[in-house]
């Protein structure tokens, strides 16, 4: 049990070194440790679910490990990580360097306050629980995590078919790209020539200014006033033109990058691998559309599914297709496989998304803070996926999850997930549509 | 005005090492107050009197092309960046002295830029791996600049300086280490730089 935890810790450490921090030096090892610890304990939770299904280890020891794991994860997610985030953010701000610890504690207290307030508008607790019970904490963590999951799945459900299916690919030819590149270079040349004029004018003004100091008398003063005025007026005019041209060059650059990547995708789709993914993309898009449809129905008709897909599948095969087989035996194996697939794909998907996000927004100053934020997100994501996974498991395995996590209103979480999923999917559809419309327009104007 | 000769210099390096600040300092003689991400390429121009005071004095426009992005960018970004690498007279490789990885990435930056150079010597460039011979025959002069020297604590400065000395030997380049916000330092060095590019 503990060996596997050490294994996960090592894996998280490696991931951190190889992927996330490829371009930065690790200065504060505490960040790496915290990240790996979060990762290790989150994976242990999944491992415990698998053990639950397989029936490995004794029931009491499983229960013990669950509780232990849960306490540690909550401790890390609510106390350790936010404190370090506050600490590193405060360290970056130069004014507050002296009393870092004090300000970090203040930040932590504000975090706790908002965290507590988060629970108020949601009907998640029955009144018989005390203030500092585990259920309070888990319910709030669950809310945040479920929101995150739903947002990511919603966006993924829309983005995946869009990326994989070649139907959406615009037709891009080499001459389009060459034309854009030529425009980009022309714009750069114009910027350069204008800047040359500015530099030369400034230099002449500076030299004339030196001569000016030698000129005395009435006429000298008037001449100096008029000439510098027209000089600086010209300069500001040219400077405005330069600013506009620079903005144009940036847009052209981004456009060209977009066209290049579209061209590469077209080439990829003609290969064998590309065709395979294209095919998968069609299936996946049907699945995504079905999921969106189901979410809408769940909300509109105000129902929450009672049985999990595995038992339903088995019921359907037994009742309609008349195939008789040992329900218990097969349900265990099938649910194991299903849950395993869900776990692996969600971990992998999350890590890839986090890596992309990290590359996009990090810099050498903020890398520590961002990694900690990512660790926080990852922890909350994994906790709430355990919560939601309860739905996908047959009744006998659900019991331990229910036992360990206490009496939460699970139905609420599923409803909340559906709502956010729908909102996220619809807004990503809108977003993608708008982006294609806008980029299409820029090319037309060219 | 436009009839002056021009010298095109690329300024390359990882994100956040200080290329835009450096270019701004060289061309405007001012410190850049609010640096932000460079998208694409930003150009600035400096009028330089080469060999000022001597009879061979000539005034040049030095164009500093500050190319943004990281070395690990997608291949679409790399192929778009390649349009800026044509007919280059010199390359400034900028790295952050507080961040070792930015110096290691400089090999890959220089390979990316030199691959696109229509080199008349016809050197066959190997894929990705560093090969000292390429730089020995390289017709394009390189200048290695290290930034943020003042952010290194006193006890580590020697170690950093020896490391960068090795680096500049590898590149067969001249080396300058910069302290943030010292404008007077640079006019002297930019003259040397103009001399390099000659």
């Amino acid at each position: 049990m503990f060996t596997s935890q050490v294994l996960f810790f090592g894996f998280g450490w490696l991931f951190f070194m190889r992927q996330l921090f490829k371009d930065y030096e690790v200065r504060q090892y505490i960040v790496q440790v915290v990240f790996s610890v979060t990762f290790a304990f989150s994976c242990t939770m999944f491992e415990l679910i698998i053990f639950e299904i397989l029936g490995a280890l004794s029931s009491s020891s499983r229960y013990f490990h669950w509780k232990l794991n849960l306490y540690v994860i909550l401790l890390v997610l609510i106390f350790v990580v936010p404190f370090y985030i506050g600490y590193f953010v405060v360290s970056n701000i130069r004014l507050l360097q002296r009393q870092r610890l004090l300000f970090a504690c203040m930040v932590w207290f504000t975090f706790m306050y908002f965290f507590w307030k988060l629970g108020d508008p949601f009907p998640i607790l029955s009144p018989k629980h005390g203030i500092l019970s585990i259920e309070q904490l888990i319910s709030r963590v669950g809310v945040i995590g479920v929101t995150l999951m739903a947002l990511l799945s919603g966006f993924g459900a829309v983005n995946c078919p869009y990326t994989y299916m070649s139907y959406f690919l615009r037709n891009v030819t080499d001459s389009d790209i060459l034309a854009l590149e030529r425009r980009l270079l022309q714009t750069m040349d114009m910027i350069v020539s204008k800047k040359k004029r500015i530099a030369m004018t400034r230099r002449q003004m500076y030299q004339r200014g030196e001569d000016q100091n030698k000129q005395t008398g009435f006429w000298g003063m008037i001449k100096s006033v008029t000439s510098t005025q027209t000089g600086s007026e010209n300069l500001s005019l040219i400077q405005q033109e330069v600013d506009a041209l620079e903005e144009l060059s940036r847009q052209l650059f981004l456009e060209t990058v977009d066209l290049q990547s579209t061209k590469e995708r077209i080439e990829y789709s003609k290969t064998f691998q590309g065709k395979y993914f294209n095919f998968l993309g069609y299936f996946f898009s049907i699945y995504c559309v079905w999921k969106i449809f189901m979410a809408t129905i769940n909300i509109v008709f105000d129902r929450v599914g009672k049985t999990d897909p595995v038992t339903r599948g088995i019921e359907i095969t037994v009742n309609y297709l008349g195939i008789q087989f040992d329900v218990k035996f097969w349900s265990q194996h099938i649910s194991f496989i299903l849950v395993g697939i869900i776990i692996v794909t969600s971990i992998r998907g999350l890590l890839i998304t986090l890596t992309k996000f990290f590359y996009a927004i990090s810099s050498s100053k903020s890398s520590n803070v961002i990694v900690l934020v990512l660790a926080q997100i990852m922890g909350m994501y994994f906790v709430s996926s355990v919560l939601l996974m309860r739905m996908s498991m047959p009744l006998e395995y659900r019991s331990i999850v229910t036992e360990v996590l206490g009496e939460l209103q699970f139905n609420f979480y599923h409803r909340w997930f559906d709502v956010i999923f729908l909102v996220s999917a619809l807004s990503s559809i809108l977003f993608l549509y708008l982006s294609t419309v806008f980029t299409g327009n820029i090319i037309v104007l060219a | 005005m436009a009839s002056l000769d021009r010298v095109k210099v690329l300024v390359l390096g990882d994100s956040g090492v200080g290329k835009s600040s450096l270019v701004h300092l060289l061309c405007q003689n001012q410190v850049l107050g609010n640096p932000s991400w460079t998208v694409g390429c930003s150009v600035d121009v400096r009028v330089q009197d080469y060999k000022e005071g001597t009879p061979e004095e000539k005034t040049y426009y030095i164009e500093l092309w500050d190319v943004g992005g990281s070395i690990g960018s997608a291949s679409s970004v790399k192929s778009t960046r390649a349009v800026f690498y044509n007919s280059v007279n010199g390359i400034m490789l900028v790295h952050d002295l507080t961040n070792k990885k930015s110096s290691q990435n400089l090999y890959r930056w220089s390979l990316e830029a030199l691959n696109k150079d229509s080199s008349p010597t016809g050197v066959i460039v190997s894929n990705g791996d560093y090969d000292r011979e390429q730089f020995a025959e390289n017709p394009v002069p390189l200048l290695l600049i290290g930034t943020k020297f003042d952010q290194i604590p006193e006890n580590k400065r020697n170690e950093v300086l020896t490391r960068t000395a090795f680096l500049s030997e590898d590149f067969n380049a001249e080396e300058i280490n910069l302290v943030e916000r010292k404008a007077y330092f640079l006019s002297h060095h930019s003259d040397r730089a103009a001399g390099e590019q000659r």
Side-chain angles (χ1 to χ4, degrees), chain A residues 17 21-25 27 94 181 184-185 188-189 191-192 195-197 199-204 246 249-250 252-254 256-257 260-261 264 360-364, chain B residues 1 4 6 14 16 27-28 37 39-45 47 49 59 61 63 65 75-77 79-81 83-84 86 96 98-102 105 148 151 181:
Chain A
M17 287 300 289
F21 255 47
K22 242 186 349 179
D23 294 329
Y24 301 107
E25 251 181 277
R27 223 83 63 66
R94 283 191 201 166
E181 283 180 356
L184 180 59
L185 282 178
M188 298 305 292
D189 285 333
I191 295 178
V192 168
K195 286 210 168 169
K196 284 179 185 170
R197 276 181 64 189
M200 190 48 101
T201 319
R202 267 218 210 107
R203 184 182 149 101
Q204 285 173 349
E246 282 185 331
S249 78
R250 280 191 277 268
L252 284 175
F253 182 80
L254 291 176
T256 319
V257 169
Q260 285 272 9
S261 69
E264 281 169 14
I361 64 174
S362 76
S363 67
S364 47
Chain B
M1 248 189 281
L4 290 182
R6 52 176 286 225
D14 278 351
C27 299
Q28 315 284 347
W37 293 105
V39 175
C41 172
S42 97
V43 193
D44 217 341
V45 172
V47 184
D49 294 315
T59 316
Y61 283 123
E63 298 169 18
W65 290 58
S75 54
S76 52
V77 178
S79 25
T80 315
R81 275 205 296 246
V83 304
F84 299 128
N86 293 323
D96 185 352
T98 60
N99 183 355
K100 250 186 245 178
K101 298 249 174 89
S102 63
N105 283 338
K148 306 189 193 170
Q151 288 185 18
R181 293 191 242 271

Side-chain angles (χ1 to χ4, degrees), chain B:
Chain B
M1 248 189 281
S3 58
L4 290 182
D5 283 348
R6 52 176 286 225
V7 169
K8 176 171 167 182
V9 177
L10 281 184
V11 181
L12 299 178
D14 278 351
S15 305
V17 297
K19 301 187 293 293
S20 308
S21 308
L22 174 69
V23 167
H24 197 258
L25 194 57
L26 277 175
C27 299
Q28 315 284 347
N29 288 323
Q30 279 176 349
V31 175
L32 186 59
N34 51 338
S36 59
W37 293 105
T38 319
V39 175
C41 172
S42 97
V43 193
D44 217 341
V45 172
R46 181 186 164 92
V47 184
Q48 180 73 23
D49 294 315
Y50 178 59
K51 291 193 177 161
E52 191 169 2
T54 69
E56 297 158 7
E57 176 178 347
K58 199 162 182 219
T59 316
Y60 283 95
Y61 283 123
I62 301 187
E63 298 169 18
L64 294 166
W65 290 58
D66 161 21
V67 177
S70 72
I71 195 61
S73 298
S75 54
S76 52
V77 178
K78 284 192 184 173
S79 25
T80 315
R81 275 205 296 246
V83 304
F84 299 128
Y85 298 156
N86 293 323
S87 59
V88 162
N89 300 112
I91 303 184
M92 280 191 189
L93 296 169
V94 187
H95 66 117
D96 185 352
L97 290 169
T98 60
N99 183 355
K100 250 186 245 178
K101 298 249 174 89
S102 63
S103 357
Q104 288 165 359
N105 283 338
L106 284 182
Y107 294 128
R108 295 160 68 193
W109 272 113
S110 51
L111 281 179
E112 184 181 326
L114 293 175
N115 275 351
K116 297 308 171 211
D117 231 356
S118 47
S119 157
T121 60
V123 174
I124 301 176
V125 185
S126 61
N127 193 15
D129 284 329
Y130 168 66
D131 183 6
R132 200 183 275 221
E133 315 235 309
Q134 289 162 227
F135 292 106
E137 298 175 26
N138 182 23
V140 177
L142 299 173
L143 185 64
L144 193 65
I145 300 190
T147 55
K148 306 189 193 170
F149 189 57
D150 53 332
Q151 288 185 18
I152 299 184
E154 291 281 342
N155 47 352
K156 299 223 174 132
R157 285 191 182 178
N158 273 332
E159 184 188 313
V160 169
L161 285 175
T162 38
R163 176 166 52 89
T164 51
F166 278 124
L167 201 63
S168 57
E169 242 184 70
D170 283 341
F171 279 115
N172 201 20
E174 290 268 332
E175 158 187 22
I176 298 179
N177 288 326
L178 286 183
V179 175
E180 199 180 324
R181 293 191 242 271
K182 294 279 167 59
Y184 63 84
F185 202 47
L186 279 192
S187 55
H188 164 66
H189 284 288
S190 61
D191 207 40
R192 269 177 66 198
E196 277 296 313
Q197 271 101 55
R198 214 35 197 93

Side-chain angles (χ1 to χ4, degrees), chain A residues 8-147:
Chain A
F8 286 133
F9 182 83
F11 187 72
W13 187 275
L14 266 177
F15 174 74
F16 185 89
M17 287 300 289
R18 291 290 174 76
Q19 294 276 66
L20 283 184
F21 255 47
K22 242 186 349 179
D23 294 329
Y24 301 107
E25 251 181 277
V26 181
R27 223 83 63 66
Q28 318 264 21
Y29 277 102
I30 188 73
V31 172
Q32 204 171 359
V33 167
V34 166
F35 182 83
S36 311
V37 161
T38 319
F39 186 76
F41 280 103
S42 315
C43 288
T44 325
M45 273 201 304
F46 289 130
E47 200 194 1
L48 282 171
I49 293 189
I50 302 268
F51 280 173
E52 186 68 31
I53 297 181
L54 284 183
L57 300 183
S58 65
S59 168
S60 54
S61 80
R62 278 201 303 256
Y63 186 70
F64 164 72
H65 277 290
W66 263 112
K67 278 286 184 197
L68 175 72
N69 214 22
L70 205 62
Y71 282 128
V72 172
I73 272 238
L74 281 177
L75 193 76
V76 168
L77 277 184
I78 298 179
F79 295 106
V80 175
V81 178
F83 176 73
Y84 273 114
I85 291 181
Y87 181 74
F88 281 114
V89 166
V90 167
S91 310
N92 272 342
I93 306 175
R94 283 191 201 166
L95 289 173
L96 309 172
Q97 276 277 357
R98 291 296 166 83
Q99 292 148 324
R100 274 186 288 203
L101 274 178
L102 181 67
F103 280 108
C105 287
M106 275 171 56
V107 170
W108 186 77
F109 277 119
T110 15
F111 167 77
M112 280 309 286
Y113 176 71
F114 281 116
F115 189 68
W116 212 257
K117 278 290 177 194
L118 195 66
D120 288 345
F122 296 112
I124 41 182
L125 292 174
S126 36
K128 49 186 171 158
H129 291 131
I131 288 282
L132 276 182
S133 61
I134 283 282
E135 283 80 10
Q136 294 261 3
L137 299 174
I138 293 189
S139 56
R140 286 175 171 81
V141 169
V143 168
I144 302 178
V146 165
T147 317

